[in-house]
Amino acid sequence: MVAAGTAAVLVVATVASLFMAWTIGAGSSGSTPFAPAVGARAISVMRAGFLVGILGFLGAVLQGANVADAVGTGLVGGISLSPTASTVLLLLAAALVAVGIFTGYPIATAFTVTGAVVGVGLGLGGSPVWPKYVEIGTLWLLTPFVGGGIAYVTARTLRHEAIPERYTVPVLGGIVGLIVANVPFTLLGSDSGGASIAAAVATDLPLSTTIGTGLVSVAVAGLVAGALVWDLSSGVDSAERHFLLALGGLVAFSAGGSQVGLAVGPLLAAFQGTTLPFSVSLLALLVFGGIGLLAGSWMGAPRMIKAIAQDYSSLGPRRSIAALIPSFAIAQTAVVFGIPVSFNEIIVSAVIGSGFAAGGGGVSARKMGYTVLAWIGSLVLALGAGYAVITAIELL
């Protein structure tokens, strides 16, 4: 039997996790994926919020396992997060993200949750996991340069008069198809992290795994490129809008897969550290977190979608496509390696990069400065507050 006090703390931790999922859905995962499409007037704010909720839920269930496991068990060594510790860090991180939502500044959820987990874990006497920190820090530091750089080059290519769009758009679509074929899905394969479409199909082919995976990947890329060639025959503008909306959907799906772990990872650790008369599977927690993301996207995302789409840059379809392609690739990289990543950082960096391809028009340097300070401040504040609060609780 579980003691009444422990059961009560688990209930609070569950509620805190749901609230955290709601804030993520209303903030980073709900607002950023379709923001460039809204800025390009390819979709309305309310419709974007509706679609991102559904796609985020699917991404959470099908791709959320790696990041959830990393957040729950991989950030601090030597200890397991207790129900009390999980509750403290979830409430702390959710409060900071909620402040960002209601003030209009996109605080990076991954920064706050990572800082809170590490701060609480170290306060409990855990040891730093430096290899994981280096991995996380590397992705965080490279994201603005890689994402913004790729977005800049892609936008410049799409705007180049000497390169017709009937060639560039299908090539970009083929690259996206290649990525889709090789990203992991939880329900495919026997591993906890799942398997890719290419790997799953290759197992049924009378070829080596490497050759089979390569052929399937090329086939998927060819299908996507061919579909865009066919769509372009009906008009460039409509084909670009369709491609842009498809990219927004892929980014929304990826957002659910990478962000749900920030909410349910600590809850997973809390349940694993307690003897229960029943089992709580990771899949059940991912569904639970996905429902929270969906609710947050439907209820709170439109405000942030409008803020990001209008305040950072007024993008056309080409620059929006350029922003979403690297965003999708970076998000899936984070999913594969189980790295908590900020979707605000990914999208904002890509939006700026694509914006500078047109001379930097519409990009507010002041807004960018405040945003970067909010990201750094949220990490430092969450880490320090998590350490202080859990230390105080342990002394009581």
Side-chain angles (χ1 to χ4, degrees):
M1 295 295 291
V2 179
T6 302
V9 172
L10 284 174
V11 170
V12 175
T14 301
V15 173
S17 177
L18 182 62
F19 178 58
M20 186 67 203
W22 187 95
T23 60
I24 292 172
S28 58
S29 75
S31 63
T32 50
F34 276 105
V38 172
R41 294 179 175 85
I43 189 172
S44 68
V45 172
M46 296 306 296
R47 185 171 295 179
F50 176 77
L51 290 177
V52 79
I54 295 175
L55 293 169
F57 171 81
L58 294 175
V61 175
L62 296 176
Q63 286 197 316
N66 283 351
V67 175
D69 185 64
V71 172
T73 63
L75 296 181
V76 181
I79 64 165
S80 296
L81 293 175
S82 65
T84 300
S86 298
T87 303
V88 168
L89 70 90
L90 283 168
L91 289 174
L92 177 63
L96 291 174
V97 174
V99 169
I101 294 171
F102 293 112
T103 58
Y105 287 94
I107 290 178
T109 309
F111 289 9
T112 58
V113 174
T114 302
V117 172
V118 174
V120 169
L122 295 180
L124 290 173
S127 59
V129 184
W130 293 113
K132 191 65 176 180
Y133 300 163
V134 170
E135 192 177 69
I136 293 172
T138 299
L139 182 62
W140 287 359
L141 290 174
L142 289 179
T143 290
F145 302 101
V146 175
I150 294 175
Y152 176 84
V153 172
T154 304
R156 292 282 293 182
T157 302
L158 286 171
R159 292 170 56 85
H160 203 292
E161 296 181 356
I163 307 177
E165 290 166 312
R166 66 177 181 273
Y167 298 130
T168 55
V169 172
V171 169
L172 292 173
I175 294 173
V176 172
L178 199 65
I179 298 172
V180 170
N182 288 279
V183 299
F185 294 91
T186 303
L187 300 182
L188 296 177
S190 57
D191 296 336
S192 59
S196 67
I197 294 173
V201 175
T203 58
D204 296 327
L205 298 178
L207 301 168
S208 68
T209 302
T210 302
I211 295 176
T213 300
L215 289 177
V216 174
S217 300
V218 172
V220 173
L223 287 174
V224 175
L228 283 170
V229 170
W230 176 81
D231 200 10
L232 283 164
S233 64
S234 300
V236 173
D237 292 340
S238 62
E240 286 183 344
R241 285 196 298 270
H242 296 159
F243 187 30
L244 175 59
L245 291 174
L247 285 171
L250 288 172
V251 173
F253 180 87
S254 303
S258 67
Q259 300 291 283
V260 71
L262 302 174
V264 303
L267 188 61
L268 173 66
F271 278 112
Q272 288 180 343
T274 305
T275 302
L276 296 172
F278 56 89
S279 61
V280 179
S281 68
L282 176 56
L283 179 59
L285 290 178
L286 293 176
V287 172
F288 172 77
I291 292 173
L293 294 181
L294 185 148
S297 297
W298 285 358
M299 297 170 65
R303 173 186 173 90
M304 289 295 287
I305 291 175
K306 183 178 180 181
I308 294 176
Q310 296 183 2
D311 291 350
Y312 286 98
S313 184
S314 298
L315 303 180
R318 297 174 190 171
R319 281 187 287 165
S320 297
I321 289 171
L324 288 179
I325 289 176
S327 299
F328 171 57
I330 293 172
Q332 287 299 329
T333 300
V335 168
V336 170
F337 290 99
I339 300 175
V341 65
S342 167
F343 251 76
N344 284 325
E345 182 190 14
I346 292 173
I347 290 288
V348 169
S349 300
V351 165
I352 294 173
S354 63
F356 274 111
V363 178
S364 170
R366 182 180 180 183
K367 185 74 173 183
M368 292 303 102
Y370 278 126
T371 299
V372 172
L373 288 176
W375 291 344
I376 298 173
S378 62
L379 173 64
V380 175
L381 180 60
L383 195 154
Y387 184 91
V389 171
I390 199 66
T391 300
I393 291 176
E394 288 293 300
L395 292 175
L396 295 178

